[in-house]
Amino acid sequence: MSSLNTDFNELMERVRVGREFGHASFEPIFYLIFDPQKILKIKRQLPAWAAKLRNEGWDVHIFSMAKAVQEVFDEMPAFIKKTWEKQDSAALENRDSAENLGLQWQKTNKSLAEALTKKNALQNKLEAKLSDLEGKPNSILLVSDIEALHPYLRIGSMESQLQGKFHVPTIFFYPGMRTGKTQLKFLGFYPEDGNYRSVHVGG
């Protein structure tokens, strides 16, 4: 845990420097990159980090990507959710055939991904949170549970679409690995993605 704490402390130092020396084109977007095998450790540590930030005078807000994903799915019309249930049932009935099972899950996952991206449903939830914090002094947003985006989409595309919306320091807890100055591999096995304009620590 000491290495995670070290990385978090370094990241917060970057946050402080960014606030002091930031200019008009700089958006305070930060990523704490960590080994996907440490996802549970991060979840356990997050309350302690949030408490520490509050003690330092920050107004801490947490946005759970897993919770937001579930909210989007829960808000879908009943007939669509029934379709997903039928696809799941079909997958279970055909589990004796690996090929059939794979095809059914692909169809379900594609449909779920469309639900998250159609009309920017998931992105809009994060944007609404960012908008709510705009102009509030000492606010900081911690974005957790990013692994919940698998296998639907990656956070890099969302960050890109929200450029210009980050008015308070925003920390993404990113399970993956860094392969270059700006390139990341989500969960350690996705293709490298360099679509980031953020500050990265760890990994």
Side-chain angles (χ1 to χ4, degrees):
M1 183 59 70
S2 60
S3 62
L4 290 176
N5 279 323
T6 298
D7 288 344
F8 183 77
N9 290 337
E10 178 186 341
L11 183 146
M12 285 309 303
E13 188 58 35
R14 301 276 191 95
V15 171
R16 295 182 190 97
V17 170
R19 285 172 70 87
E20 292 172 5
F21 299 103
H23 46 80
S25 62
F26 174 77
E27 287 194 80
I29 310 169
F30 304 85
Y31 280 60
L32 181 66
I33 317 299
F34 60 91
D35 187 322
Q37 293 183 357
K38 296 181 178 179
I39 286 175
L40 289 179
K41 288 184 178 180
I42 289 288
K43 291 183 187 300
R44 294 190 189 106
Q45 186 64 22
L46 187 57
W49 283 336
K52 179 181 178 181
L53 293 178
R54 291 188 183 98
N55 288 336
E56 294 175 357
W58 291 95
D59 179 18
V60 180
H61 299 263
I62 298 177
F63 182 93
S64 167
M65 199 62 71
K67 182 179 178 181
V69 167
Q70 188 61 55
E71 286 175 355
V72 172
F73 292 160
D74 290 343
E75 292 163 3
M76 295 301 294
F79 76 91
I80 292 181
K81 287 189 278 190
K82 285 182 179 178
T83 299
W84 293 339
E85 291 171 1
K86 287 180 180 179
Q87 289 173 340
D88 285 347
S89 296
L92 291 172
E93 289 171 4
N94 292 293
R95 62 180 179 272
D96 56 320
S97 167
E99 182 178 354
N100 285 339
L101 181 61
L103 289 173
Q104 290 295 337
W105 279 117
Q106 286 177 20
K107 287 169 62 178
T108 301
N109 284 336
K110 183 178 179 181
S111 181
L112 292 170
E114 288 174 353
L116 294 174
T117 57
K118 188 176 182 180
K119 297 182 180 179
N120 295 323
L122 181 59
Q123 178 182 308
N124 288 344
K125 288 186 176 293
L126 179 55
E127 183 175 352
K129 185 62 178 179
L130 291 168
S131 178
D132 182 58
L133 296 179
E134 184 176 357
K136 294 184 178 179
N138 299 322
S139 289
I140 188 168
L141 181 61
L142 311 181
V143 182
S144 66
D145 307 320
I146 292 178
E147 63 276 5
L149 296 180
H150 169 72
Y152 314 118
L153 65 155
R154 285 184 277 176
I155 195 64
S157 59
M158 198 179 300
E159 177 198 317
S160 178
Q161 291 295 319
L162 290 173
Q163 287 294 314
K165 307 290 186 181
F166 294 90
H167 302 288
V168 301
T170 303
I171 299 174
F172 291 92
F173 292 89
Y174 184 98
M177 57 193 304
R178 186 159 43 168
T179 58
K181 189 172 183 180
T182 61
Q183 290 183 317
L184 302 175
K185 292 185 72 172
F186 182 44
L187 294 174
F189 60 79
Y190 272 77
E192 292 180 350
D193 184 2
N195 190 29
Y196 299 90
R197 296 184 179 88
S198 39
V199 176
H200 300 162
V201 173

